[in-house]
Amino acid sequence: MTLNALIIGDTGGIGAAMSRQLTAGGWSVRGVSRSRDGLDFNKPDQIDRILSDISGSFQLIFVATGALHGAGQPPEKSLRAVTPDAMIEQMQINAIGPAMVMRHAARLLPKRDHGVFAALSARVGSIGDNALGGWYSYRAAKAALNQIVHTGAIELRRSHPKSVCVTLHPGTVATTFTENYRDRHAVVTPDHAAARLLDVIDTLRPEQTGRFLDYNGRPIVW
């Protein structure tokens, strides 16, 4: 049986690497992106319109989109730098957009077989792990994403008992997304990041649904 994957954001660094590696592994990959398909997370109505045209059963739905800057502003270093526009855009792209994708998960995941819905999160979205402060909008948006996927996992477990819904921290990946924020972290290539994430996805079991995991499959505190 051919396995099917739906990659949201397949033209970005991690999304493209995931698509390449899945295709090389024999998967049938359907990709959707803003640059090619007009899937703009700042325009939630477009998400429903585009995804409603997609049918079939996907053993993997992976949301690889995200934004570190909101309304053109870098992550805030202080409360004085917080603006409504930046916070709203962060929420739109990092939380609301993935939530609108997850609305389609019940229709697109296998109902009786194993399937995975995974979205890229970030360790800075952890409230319990936050010892440095700053980055208000990005942290809040990723924390919101974690809650959305955790809550969605509870609902989907009732109708899709073999499926798993998780958020994943990929580490610091060498993309344009992180080019100004790599100095204090070990950096990996998109292909390395994708391989690690696929290793985690391959080992997920239904009892792990709703979790927030790092690239080694270790739980991250909420």
Side-chain angles (χ1 to χ4, degrees), residues 84-106:
D85 287 346
M87 184 163 280
I88 288 168
E89 187 165 303
Q90 283 286 319
M91 287 292 178
Q92 288 273 26
I93 295 173
N94 290 316
I96 297 172
M100 296 302 100
V101 175
M102 199 174 190
R103 286 178 60 182
H104 293 263

Side-chain angles (χ1 to χ4, degrees), residues 52-97:
S52 292
D53 289 336
I54 296 175
S55 60
S57 182
F58 295 88
Q59 285 74 31
L60 173 62
I61 301 172
F62 188 83
V63 183
T65 56
L68 191 56
H69 293 192
Q73 301 299 314
E76 309 95 342
K77 294 182 179 180
S78 70
L79 280 168
R80 293 188 302 274
V82 174
T83 66
D85 287 346
M87 184 163 280
I88 288 168
E89 187 165 303
Q90 283 286 319
M91 287 292 178
Q92 288 273 26
I93 295 173
N94 290 316
I96 297 172

Side-chain angles (χ1 to χ4, degrees), residues 171-185:
T172 302
V173 184
T175 66
T176 54
F177 187 86
T178 64
E179 61 186 352
N180 295 321
Y181 307 98
R182 302 176 192 165
D183 54 333
R184 291 180 296 179
H185 305 280

Side-chain angles (χ1 to χ4, degrees), residues 30-206:
R30 171 77 181 267
V32 184
S33 73
R34 182 179 62 177
S35 60
R36 186 186 58 244
D37 306 293
L39 187 75
D40 188 346
F41 276 11
N42 273 316
K43 299 175 181 177
D45 59 317
Q46 291 187 2
I47 301 172
D48 271 340
R49 178 179 58 79
I50 292 171
L51 292 187
S52 292
D53 289 336
I54 296 175
S55 60
S57 182
F58 295 88
Q59 285 74 31
L60 173 62
I61 301 172
F62 188 83
V63 183
T65 56
L68 191 56
H69 293 192
Q73 301 299 314
E76 309 95 342
K77 294 182 179 180
S78 70
L79 280 168
R80 293 188 302 274
V82 174
T83 66
D85 287 346
M87 184 163 280
I88 288 168
E89 187 165 303
Q90 283 286 319
M91 287 292 178
Q92 288 273 26
I93 295 173
N94 290 316
I96 297 172
M100 296 302 100
V101 175
M102 199 174 190
R103 286 178 60 182
H104 293 263
R107 179 174 63 83
L108 296 173
L109 286 172
K111 289 190 175 180
R112 296 179 178 84
D113 297 315
H114 181 69
V116 174
F117 177 94
L120 282 184
S121 187
R123 187 177 295 275
V124 296
S126 165
I127 296 172
D129 191 54
N130 181 2
L132 297 176
W135 290 40
Y136 290 89
S137 298
Y138 186 69
R139 286 186 188 274
K142 288 300 188 181
L145 171 64
N146 292 339
Q147 180 70 287
I148 289 163
V149 173
H150 179 77
T151 305
I154 295 170
E155 178 178 340
L156 285 166
R157 183 165 51 198
R158 299 169 188 147
S159 58
H160 296 65
K162 294 184 179 180
S163 289
V164 186
C165 302
V166 292
T167 52
L168 298 174
H169 166 61
T172 302
V173 184
T175 66
T176 54
F177 187 86
T178 64
E179 61 186 352
N180 295 321
Y181 307 98
R182 302 176 192 165
D183 54 333
R184 291 180 296 179
H185 305 280
V187 180
V188 299
T189 66
D191 284 310
H192 187 179
R196 294 194 304 191
L197 294 174
L198 286 172
D199 283 344
V200 174
I201 289 168
D202 284 344
T203 63
L204 289 174
R205 297 294 177 263

